[in-house]
Amino acid sequence: MPDNAVSPDGPLLADLHAGILTLTLNRPERKNAITPEMWARLRDRLLDATVDNGVRAVVLTGAGATFCSGADIADTAGMDEFPDPSDLISTINDTIRLLQELPVPTVAKVSGVAAGAGWNLALACDLVVAASDARFCQIFARRALSLDTGGSWLLPRLVGLQQAKRLALLADMIGADEAQSLGLVTWVTAPVSLDEFTHGIAERLASGPPLALAQTKDLLNRGLDRSLTEALEYESQAQAANLQGPDILEAFAAFSDKRDPDYTRAAAAR
């Protein structure tokens, strides 16, 4: 996807500018509830981002006043792409996995409500910026459903088992401040500052050393399932790759020249 490109109007908008790919769930009239078509488009955009060197950070957000109210179980738009229902489930799971494993940092920008699958989309991102009036709910139990879209894996890792059970079993709606106190939101900002604040975070991520950030993200994601000995071994392997790559040369040159590093120049030299 070329820089400054914007996808045509549709249920998912994609805008790439200065290394920041902004993906916008675009059904504001339905509080951005996700249809099968949207899951497929989001998965495809994330797949593209894994191999696009022009993408240095991803921002996931919703159009209008709401991030995402969850999966739209009443709208079958796009179901013709999934003659077997298990194919849709696989696409949804791939989307969550891609957000977690994407080799660039991901940021969820949340306003309004993030519920069910919508909240888990945000939790699958590396960082979450929420407007102070945002609200969050693991709504599944209210619909006689069990957790999906990664909630059973994400929640206990972020808040511990007991709080995860409280959020999932009671399906309480919580505010941005409580979500932040539980470790489910990284920053809370005033609604009028949400766009500017999130863009500033994305700019910082997009200007960072891509290989080092990708490896750091992977090390942290996998660290909970590794022993200390295993973690040290994988850290050593990652650091060896950094020491042999062009980014570290740019980092040292920038330090010597007393300037900010320009990792796009290092990438061009590859």
Side-chain angles (χ1 to χ4, degrees):
M1 185 175 183
D3 202 21
N4 298 315
V6 181
S7 66
D9 288 347
L12 179 74
L13 305 182
D15 175 18
L16 178 61
H17 178 71
I20 302 169
L21 175 63
T22 301
L23 299 174
T24 305
L25 305 174
N26 188 37
R27 293 182 76 217
E29 74 285 357
R30 293 284 293 167
K31 297 184 178 180
N32 298 317
I34 313 176
T35 64
E37 178 187 9
M38 292 169 73
W39 283 115
R41 291 196 182 191
L42 183 55
R43 176 206 57 193
D44 291 346
R45 288 296 187 186
L46 293 172
L47 277 172
D48 291 343
T50 65
V51 295
D52 187 344
N53 290 332
V55 176
R56 306 289 290 273
V58 172
V59 174
L60 179 63
T61 191
T66 295
F67 179 75
C68 178
S69 59
D72 193 333
I73 58 177
D75 194 314
T76 59
M79 271 306 293
D80 54 332
E81 295 184 37
F82 305 101
D84 186 336
S86 65
D87 293 336
L88 174 58
I89 295 171
S90 178
T91 294
I92 293 170
N93 291 345
D94 286 346
T95 304
I96 298 297
R97 191 179 301 110
L98 280 165
L99 277 173
Q100 268 284 294
E101 298 179 357
L102 201 69
V104 299
T106 55
V107 185
K109 181 175 70 174
V110 181
S111 59
V113 171
W119 191 7
N120 289 338
L121 274 174
L123 294 179
C125 294
D126 301 314
L127 303 167
V128 180
V129 184
S132 56
D133 57 359
R135 295 172 295 147
F136 303 85
C137 182
Q138 290 290 326
I139 201 168
F140 302 98
R142 297 191 192 183
R143 305 290 184 260
L145 296 169
S146 54
L147 290 176
D148 61 20
T149 52
S152 66
W153 190 89
L154 293 161
L155 279 173
R157 280 167 169 76
L158 291 167
V159 301
L161 185 57
Q162 190 173 79
Q163 286 295 337
K165 288 179 177 178
R166 189 262 290 193
L167 292 167
L169 298 176
L170 296 177
D172 287 336
M173 183 78 74
I174 65 172
D177 288 337
E178 182 177 358
Q180 184 181 35
S181 71
L182 290 170
L184 297 167
V185 163
T186 320
W187 298 278
V188 175
T189 186
V192 295
S193 305
L194 182 63
D195 289 346
E196 181 181 4
F197 186 93
T198 305
H199 185 70
I201 295 297
E203 281 187 321
R204 290 174 60 189
L205 294 169
S207 66
L211 178 60
L213 293 187
Q215 295 196 122
T216 295
K217 173 175 174 173
D218 184 66
L219 288 167
L220 290 171
N221 281 344
R222 299 177 187 273
L224 287 174
D225 300 320
R226 289 172 173 164
S227 67
L228 175 59
T229 298
E230 290 171 331
L232 290 168
E233 176 60 29
Y234 282 104
E235 286 176 0
S236 298
Q237 294 175 17
Q239 210 68 293
N242 290 323
L243 292 169
Q244 295 171 12
D247 291 344
I248 197 166
L249 298 177
E250 171 60 15
F252 281 121
F255 178 78
S256 177
D257 297 342
K258 296 181 173 58
R259 60 173 175 81
D260 292 331
D262 180 2
Y263 293 110
T264 58
R265 177 167 57 187
R270 291 185 183 126

